[in-house]
């Protein structure tokens, strides 16, 4: 792992965050995220609140600047850049919790169905996607409908 951490620079995960980390390890989603990160040649580092940061993701798909698989946040830029964006990191952390609630990899087809619905309703994969709405549209870089209306 890169980006060695200085003592006291990372949050100590709460009980809920430790449970989420354990759930995503047991359900295989974090292992899948690590496999994608290693195959893509990213640089791994320990992130805050039980997350793993995979920096320097270069594959074309998905096109998002950041995405999450289990407790692994894959990011196109350097880890320091992601750490400097607390809203985006919080958005991705909420996706970590969604993996746990969906029992791991079933999250992926559920997310794809929600993204397809969103494209039909709003023209983009996020605005009407229940997972993105719950993670925070603006924090994830998605357009927020006027008045926050549900589409």
């Amino acid at each position: 792992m890169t980006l060695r951490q200085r003592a006291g620079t990372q949050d100590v995960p709460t009980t809920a965050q430790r449970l989420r980390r354990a759930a995503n390890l047991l359900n295989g989603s974090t292992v899948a995220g690590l496999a994608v990160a290693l195959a893509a040649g990213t640089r791994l580092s320990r992130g805050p609140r039980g997350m793993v940061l995979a920096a320097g993701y270069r594959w074309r798909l998905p096109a998002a600047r950041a995405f999450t698989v289990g407790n692994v946040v894959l990011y196109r830029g350097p880890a320091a850049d992601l750490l400097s964006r607390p809203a985006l990191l919080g958005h991705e952390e909420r996706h970590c919790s969604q993996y746990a609630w969906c029992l791991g990899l079933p999250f992926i087809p559920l997310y794809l169905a929600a993204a397809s619905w969103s494209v039909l309703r709003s023209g983009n994969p996020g605005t009407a996607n229940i997972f993105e709405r719950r993670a925070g549209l603006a924090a994830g870089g998605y357009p927020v409908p006027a008045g926050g209306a549900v589409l």
Side-chain angles (χ1 to χ4, degrees):
M1 290 195 174
T2 59
L3 268 182
R4 298 235 182 247
Q5 301 180 333
R6 296 181 206 127
T9 60
Q10 289 296 328
D11 309 7
V12 175
T14 65
T15 300
Q17 291 162 345
R18 285 193 303 273
L19 286 171
R20 178 187 65 213
R21 180 175 53 198
N24 284 338
L25 276 171
L26 289 171
N27 68 35
S29 59
T30 294
V31 174
L34 289 170
V36 170
L38 291 171
T42 64
R43 277 176 248 145
L44 297 173
S45 62
R46 228 179 257 158
R49 303 178 299 281
M51 291 182 284
V52 176
L53 306 182
Y57 181 83
R58 304 244 183 272
W59 290 356
R60 290 189 319 152
L61 294 174
R65 183 172 183 129
F67 70 99
T68 301
V69 181
N71 266 38
V72 181
V73 179
L74 295 106
Y75 186 66
R76 294 193 177 280
D81 184 43
L82 179 57
L83 290 168
S84 73
R85 298 170 182 262
L88 178 58
L89 193 56
H91 174 91
E92 297 304 328
E93 182 180 7
R94 287 185 281 284
H95 287 315
C96 295
S97 297
Q98 292 168 350
Y99 270 94
W101 282 110
C102 291
L103 305 177
L105 296 177
F107 173 80
I108 294 172
L110 292 169
Y111 181 91
L112 292 173
S116 297
W117 171 254
S118 181
V119 169
L120 289 172
R121 298 284 296 168
S122 68
N124 72 68
T127 301
N129 179 330
I130 186 66
F131 296 107
E132 293 299 347
R133 293 182 70 79
R134 297 255 170 132
L137 291 175
Y142 294 102
V144 178
V150 176
L151 298 175

